[in-house]
């Protein structure tokens, strides 16, 4: 019985890795569309988002099957419940990648400045998504914590982009709509970083049983 359960958990890890890879692909497509000023990659994101949505439903069904048909111990319950939370964040990453793609298509070829930190945010958030899922599969708390720590840099990139675009609007009001589109792209990347951070926090929960904002109880021998 346990061996079958372990096989199902391995399948869960495989499905989660696949869903994370789909999110990676979606971010890579919009990053390429931005860097190459090419609408074609952006047009491919919608199909990926639908695949991400279907994968979420498949993983949800697998998790419910594990909970209802097996007898998971506490550690297994944490792993399964973390997976259910993670796929919600990954589904939102797919949605936000599609939102960025729609803005790129709306810009209709108007380029993103090469020096813009938006490109850096695309690379950073893609890495965060990859590492957060890897941390879950490898049960690596250090990798999960590294993802959480890296979110500050993404937030700072967004703040700098916002300040720069405010100056653009002040100096060139006719570019206001374009600047707001760029700001929305940056905001969606910032949200993708937040979702990757959420995934990493659920990884820590699956390993330790404690949420990132909780202080774990001291061992009994240290308690008075």
């Amino acid at each position: 019985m346990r061996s079958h359960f372990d096989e199902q958990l391995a399948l869960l890890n495989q499905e989660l890795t696949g869903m994370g890879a789909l999110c990676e692909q979606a971010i890579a497509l919009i990053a390429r569309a931005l860097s190459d000023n090419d609408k074609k990659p952006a047009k491919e994101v919608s199909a990926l988002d639908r695949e991400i949505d279907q994968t979420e439903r498949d993983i949800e069904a697998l998790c419910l099957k594990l909970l209802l048909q097996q007898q998971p111990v506490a550690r297994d319950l944490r792993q399964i419940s973390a997976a259910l939370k993670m796929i919600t964040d990954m589904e939102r990453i797919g949605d936000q990648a599609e939102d960025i793609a729609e803005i790129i298509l709306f810009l209709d070829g108007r380029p993103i400045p090469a020096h813009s930190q938006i490109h850096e945010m695309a690379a950073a958030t893609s890495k965060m998504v990859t590492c957060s899922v890897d941390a879950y599969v490898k049960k690596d708390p250090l990798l999960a914590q590294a993802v959480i720590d890296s979110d500050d840099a993404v937030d700072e990139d967004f703040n700098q982009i916002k300040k720069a675009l405010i100056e653009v609007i002040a100096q060139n009001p006719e570019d206001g709509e374009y600047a707001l589109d760029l700001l929305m792209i940056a905001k969606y990347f910032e949200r993708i970083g937040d979702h990757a951070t959420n995934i990493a926090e659920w990884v820590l929960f699956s390993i330790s049983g404690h949420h990132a904002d909780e202080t774990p109880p001291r061992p009994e021998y240290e308690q008075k």
Side-chain angles (χ1 to χ4, degrees):
M1 180 68 74
R2 179 69 206 189
S3 61
H4 177 67
F5 184 73
D6 287 340
E7 290 174 2
Q8 294 294 298
L9 284 178
L11 177 60
L12 174 59
N13 288 343
Q14 181 181 333
E15 291 289 326
L16 277 168
T17 302
M19 190 173 182
L22 290 172
C23 292
E24 249 189 292
Q25 289 176 42
I27 298 170
L29 284 170
I30 54 179
R32 179 153 38 106
L34 289 169
S35 62
D36 297 346
N37 192 26
D38 183 0
K39 294 191 292 183
K40 184 178 178 181
K43 293 178 180 178
E44 300 174 26
V45 175
S46 182
L48 269 178
D49 184 46
R50 290 194 297 272
E51 193 173 351
I52 289 170
D53 291 344
Q54 181 58 53
T55 305
E56 179 193 24
R57 291 189 287 269
D58 293 342
I59 293 175
E60 188 177 59
L62 176 57
C63 288
L64 293 176
K65 180 180 178 182
L66 287 168
L67 291 171
L68 295 174
Q69 297 182 3
Q70 306 292 338
Q71 295 179 331
V73 297
R75 183 187 67 244
D76 300 326
L77 283 171
R78 291 199 303 269
Q79 185 174 353
I80 296 167
S81 62
L84 285 168
K85 295 290 187 178
M86 289 166 61
I87 60 175
T88 300
D89 280 296
M90 283 193 272
E91 189 273 335
R92 291 298 299 139
I93 288 171
D95 288 346
Q96 282 152 359
E98 185 175 25
D99 289 335
I100 294 172
E102 289 177 356
I103 296 175
I104 292 171
L105 295 174
F106 177 76
L107 289 174
D108 196 27
R110 186 162 184 178
I112 307 296
H115 64 276
S116 172
Q117 287 172 291
I118 289 176
H119 300 288
E120 295 178 17
M121 291 184 77
T125 54
S126 179
K127 183 178 179 181
M128 288 175 71
V129 172
T130 301
C131 291
S132 61
V133 177
D134 283 350
Y136 174 84
V137 174
K138 297 174 182 177
K139 297 180 174 60
D140 187 340
L142 294 179
L143 185 56
Q145 188 60 53
V147 172
I148 295 169
D149 294 341
S150 65
D151 190 47
D152 288 341
V154 172
D155 290 344
E156 181 57 30
D157 281 340
F158 173 71
N159 288 332
Q160 291 187 23
I161 290 169
K162 182 169 64 174
K163 290 177 182 177
L165 290 174
I166 288 172
E167 291 182 9
V168 168
I169 294 172
Q171 296 175 9
N172 302 288
E174 67 277 9
D175 284 335
E177 184 176 0
Y178 172 62
L180 288 175
D181 286 334
L182 296 186
L183 181 61
M184 287 305 301
I185 289 175
K187 183 60 181 177
Y188 283 131
F189 275 126
E190 190 263 343
R191 291 298 298 142
I192 289 172
D194 287 344
H195 287 299
T197 299
N198 290 344
I199 293 170
E201 289 177 348
W202 282 109
V203 170
L204 293 181
F205 170 77
S206 72
I207 296 170
S208 68
H210 301 284
H211 292 284
D213 57 352
E214 292 179 346
T215 302
R218 290 181 300 167
E220 291 185 4
Y221 65 82
E222 293 184 2
Q223 297 178 3
K224 296 181 180 180

